[in-house]
């Protein structure tokens, strides 16, 4: 079928934009249309080149990306399940915490001290986690709580490494708590505007360490255990990515703290992931 | 097509790495497209953010019917711009001005045939609405004819015809602009 001029024009435009052909190459293939084609192709290229000089301001781009990734994280499909799971664990945790307080009255602090080196599956492990919950209850302020969650995440990571070393099964619940504590710390740093930079850097170190330890553990465990470790690793990497963005936008957050103008966002709320009504 | 379908499914699963890839690829293109259409940086920034948040919000309603995700995204951008103009009092487009040229780019920067960037946007601003739309989607948004056709809800043949007449009109405006510059 004979091609019409519109088709030929479009073929040339696609060749130029997709294959990087020159105008001259195209004109050579369609000499009978060259006179008409050339000015149209040049007009199209001029628009394309002019628009390539437009780019979003880098500080806006960074903040927008951060807000978008936060919204994506909020809307994650497993979010609802995680909340319910966390709530159930929280209730169960508090029942155990109450038992710990009672146990302290009855047996003294020795049991709690002995539980510190226990691993998941050990008899004293519930005492260890319940003690942590009591400590969390008496930790006040977003920054201190974020630090507490990071410390817990570090402990869970040590436990995972120890279990792998002893060829013991790594329970899914420990991997979940590792990720949840890390994410809790991150959320607290986000909500606390701005968190101290030291804490952000610590979280970056915590998540980077998670990556290297989980990768190492993955090599030690049997194949059927690799998948759950891979999932935990992915969540750790995501938390690391979000912490990196947080570090990147730290100077803007400082400006925000000082009430400097933030022309790229009218609401003045850096962490407002909801689209404003137009 | 199977790849596109797979990407759409993974976006619906809200896989962060796929969303990040889409975001990084299309964010600057959507921003450019919107800025050229609204001629206001602050509004363009807000609208661009909303496009991606809306896409995230409504990705579950995205049904795979052979429409590429990029076309769907630009359809959201297109509707955002229409809503924007509906809400502003004046329905007359603002002139395409220096606002479009990045602060770090010299407005005298020359493009094809030594036209400066400002001249190109001025010529674009003189086209009809439908002529501008097709040029903006094709050469600013970087969509293919098939994708632009989905955004504009027209046939590919109709878009090819529109593209031809839009480029002819643009060429005419650019030539008259050049003659004006030379004092002819």
């Amino acid at each position: 079928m004979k091609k019409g001029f519109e088709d030929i024009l479009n073929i040339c435009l696609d060749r130029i934009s997709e294959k990087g052909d020159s105008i001259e190459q195209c004109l050579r293939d369609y000499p009978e249309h060259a006179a008409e084609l050339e000015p149209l192709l040049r007009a199209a290229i001029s628009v394309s080149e002019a628009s390539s000089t437009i780019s979003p301001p880098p500080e806006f781009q960074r903040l927008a990306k951060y807000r978008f990734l936060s919204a994506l994280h909020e809307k994650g499909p497993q979010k609802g399940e995680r909340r319910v799971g966390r709530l159930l664990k929280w209730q169960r945790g508090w029942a155990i915490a109450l038992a710990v307080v009672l146990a302290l009255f009855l047996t003294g602090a020795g049991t709690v001290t002995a539980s510190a080196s226990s691993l998941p599956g050990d008899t004293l492990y519930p005492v260890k986690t319940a003690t942590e919950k009591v400590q969390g209850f008496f930790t006040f302020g977003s920054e201190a709580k974020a630090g507490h969650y990071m410390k817990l995440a570090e402990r869970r990571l040590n436990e995972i490494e120890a279990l792998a070393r002893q060829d013991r099964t790594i329970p899914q619940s420990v991997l979940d708590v590792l990720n949840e504590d890390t994410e809790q710390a991150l959320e607290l740093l986000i909500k606390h505007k701005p968190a101290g930079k030291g804490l952000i850097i610590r979280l970056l170190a915590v998540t980077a360490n998670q990556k290297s330890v989980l990768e190492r553990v993955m090599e030690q465990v049997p194949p059927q255990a690799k998948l759950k470790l891979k999932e935990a690793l992915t969540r750790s990497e995501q938390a690391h990515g979000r912490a990196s963005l947080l570090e990147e936008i730290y100077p803007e957050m400082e400006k925000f703290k000082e009430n400097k103008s933030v022309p790229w966002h009218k609401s003045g709320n850096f962490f407002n992931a909801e689209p404003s009504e137009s | 097509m199977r790849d596109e379908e797979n990407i759409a499914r993974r976006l619906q699963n809200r896989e962060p790495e796929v969303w990040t890839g889409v975001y990084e690829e299309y964010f600057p293109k959507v921003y450019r497209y919107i800025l050229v259409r609204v001629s206001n940086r602050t509004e363009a920034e807000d609208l661009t953010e909303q496009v991606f948040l809306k896409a995230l919000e409504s990705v579950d309603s995205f049904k795979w019917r052979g429409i590429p995700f990029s076309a769907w995204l630009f359809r959201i951008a297109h509707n955002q711009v229409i809503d924007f103009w509906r809400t502003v009092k004046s329905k007359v487009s603002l002139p395409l001005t220096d606002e479009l040229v990045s602060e770090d780019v010299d407005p005298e920067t020359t493009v094809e045939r030594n036209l400066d960037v400002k001249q190109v946007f001025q010529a674009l601003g003189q086209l009809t609405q439908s002529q501008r739309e097709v040029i903006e989607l094709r050469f600013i948004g970087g969509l293919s004819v098939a994708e632009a056709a989905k955004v504009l809800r027209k046939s590919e043949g109709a878009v090819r015809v529109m593209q031809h007449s839009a480029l002819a009109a643009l060429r005419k405006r650019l030539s008259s602009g050049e003659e004006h510059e030379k004092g002819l």
Side-chain angles (χ1 to χ4, degrees), chain A residues 5-218:
Chain A
F5 181 77
E6 277 89 15
D7 298 318
I8 293 167
L9 172 64
N10 198 50
I11 289 167
C12 285
L13 289 168
D14 286 348
R15 277 176 57 179
I16 292 166
S17 67
E18 287 165 23
K19 293 182 186 164
D21 284 359
S22 66
I23 291 179
E24 290 68 29
Q25 279 172 311
C26 235
L27 297 180
R28 267 200 302 275
D29 292 345
Y30 301 100
E32 68 279 25
H33 296 294
E36 198 182 350
L37 270 176
E38 186 179 357
L40 302 183
L41 296 176
R42 292 199 186 282
I45 290 173
S46 66
V47 174
S48 185
E49 287 182 358
S51 79
S52 69
T53 64
I54 299 175
S55 53
E59 70 275 23
F60 156 67
Q61 219 172 336
R62 276 202 305 274
L63 285 167
K65 186 176 176 185
Y66 184 76
R67 284 191 288 260
F68 177 77
L69 292 179
S70 295
L72 177 62
H73 178 76
E74 280 296 308
K75 291 179 197 307
Q78 70 280 49
K79 176 79 183 166
E81 292 162 31
R82 278 218 305 271
R83 259 194 194 146
V84 173
R86 197 177 287 167
L87 187 66
L88 289 173
K89 258 183 228 156
W90 186 82
Q91 286 172 338
R92 199 170 55 233
W94 277 104
I96 295 169
L98 191 63
V100 169
V101 174
L102 283 172
L104 275 172
F105 275 111
L106 299 171
T107 66
T111 313
V112 173
T113 311
S115 73
S117 57
S118 64
L119 292 176
D122 292 348
T123 320
L124 286 179
Y125 190 71
V127 179
K128 181 182 181 178
T129 53
T131 310
E132 289 170 351
K133 281 190 172 63
V134 175
Q135 286 165 346
F137 183 79
F138 290 106
T139 304
F140 303 104
S142 302
E143 294 203 4
K145 274 200 187 293
H148 174 70
Y149 280 116
M150 281 187 238
K151 190 170 72 188
L152 296 187
E154 282 169 331
R155 277 190 201 163
R156 298 297 84 86
L157 191 68
N158 290 340
E159 290 164 5
I160 290 163
E161 208 174 11
L163 288 170
R165 220 174 19 245
Q166 295 172 23
D167 284 331
R168 288 169 61 181
T169 308
I170 299 166
Q172 179 67 51
S173 59
V174 181
L175 293 167
D176 286 345
V177 173
L178 168 80
N179 290 136
E180 282 167 15
D181 285 344
T182 310
E183 287 157 8
Q184 281 277 36
L186 181 63
E187 293 303 326
L188 283 163
L189 295 186
I190 291 168
K191 282 175 193 151
H192 188 80
K193 297 172 278 201
K197 193 164 186 189
L199 277 171
I200 300 172
I201 289 168
R202 185 176 161 201
L203 185 60
L204 280 169
V206 165
T207 47
N209 190 37
Q210 285 175 5
K211 181 175 161 29
S212 61
V213 170
L214 291 174
E215 279 173 347
R216 198 165 56 238
V217 169
M218 267 172 78

Side-chain angles (χ1 to χ4, degrees), chain A residues 5-7 10 13-14 39 42 47 49 51 53-57 64-65 67 75 238 264 273 276, chain B residues 14 16 19 23-24 31-32 45 49-50 53 57 100 102 111-113 138 145 160 163-164 170-171:
Chain A
F5 181 77
E6 277 89 15
D7 298 318
N10 198 50
L13 289 168
D14 286 348
R42 292 199 186 282
V47 174
E49 287 182 358
S51 79
T53 64
I54 299 175
S55 53
K65 186 176 176 185
R67 284 191 288 260
K75 291 179 197 307
Q238 283 166 8
W264 53 82
S276 58
Chain B
R14 297 195 174 85
W19 270 105
Y23 186 89
E24 277 171 2
Y31 174 78
R32 271 180 216 137
E45 288 171 6
E49 275 207 78
Q50 285 176 38
L53 291 169
E57 193 85 41
L100 291 175
S102 298
V111 292
E112 180 65 27
R113 283 175 75 198
R138 286 283 282 133
V145 160
R160 275 195 287 270
Q163 173 176 263
H164 177 198
L170 180 68
R171 184 198 63 83

Side-chain angles (χ1 to χ4, degrees), chain B:
Chain B
M1 279 299 173
R2 195 171 285 173
D3 277 355
E4 279 275 354
E5 191 176 0
N6 184 38
I7 287 171
R9 189 180 47 74
R10 293 180 67 186
L11 288 167
Q12 285 178 326
N13 290 341
R14 297 195 174 85
E15 291 184 29
E17 61 275 22
V18 185
W19 270 105
T20 307
V22 164
Y23 186 89
E24 277 171 2
E25 165 142 20
Y26 290 104
F27 191 86
K29 290 178 184 172
V30 170
Y31 174 78
R32 271 180 216 137
Y33 169 76
I34 291 178
L35 179 57
V36 170
R37 299 200 64 189
V38 302
S39 302
N40 179 299
R41 281 184 184 278
T42 313
E43 296 294 353
E45 288 171 6
D46 272 358
L47 292 172
T48 308
E49 275 207 78
Q50 285 176 38
V51 167
F52 284 89
L53 291 169
K54 280 201 171 166
L56 183 60
E57 193 85 41
S58 50
V59 70
D60 291 333
S61 65
F62 177 76
K63 301 255 187 319
W64 175 253
R65 293 193 194 99
I67 300 171
F69 186 77
S70 52
W72 185 72
L73 195 62
F74 272 88
R75 179 84 206 161
I76 297 175
H78 176 81
N79 289 341
Q80 285 284 105
V81 172
I82 290 172
D83 286 349
F84 167 78
W85 284 115
R86 244 186 234 135
T87 56
V88 294
K89 282 180 189 165
S90 165
K91 295 209 174 186
V92 180
S93 296
L94 296 167
L96 289 149
T97 61
D98 295 347
E99 185 84 2
L100 291 175
V101 183
S102 298
E103 281 151 19
D104 53 352
V105 169
D106 179 357
E108 308 264 302
T109 298
T110 54
V111 292
E112 180 65 27
R113 283 175 75 198
N114 293 330
L115 294 161
D116 71 49
V117 171
K118 203 171 154 188
Q119 251 182 300
V120 174
F121 288 128
Q122 276 168 346
L124 191 58
Q126 290 165 8
L127 302 185
T128 66
Q129 186 68 20
S130 60
Q131 286 171 339
R132 275 185 64 174
E133 271 179 355
V134 74
I135 286 187
E136 285 158 358
L137 287 170
R138 286 283 282 133
F139 310 115
I140 295 173
L143 298 190
S144 66
V145 160
E147 290 165 337
K150 300 289 183 197
V151 177
L152 298 171
R153 298 197 167 149
K154 294 191 184 296
S155 70
E156 288 182 35
V159 171
R160 275 195 287 270
V161 172
M162 281 166 70
Q163 173 176 263
H164 177 198
S165 69
L167 284 174
L170 180 68
R171 184 198 63 83
K172 206 170 159 187
R173 302 287 177 195
L174 286 171
S175 306
S176 62
E178 269 180 295
E179 282 165 14
H180 182 75
E181 288 275 312
K182 287 174 192 163
L184 294 173

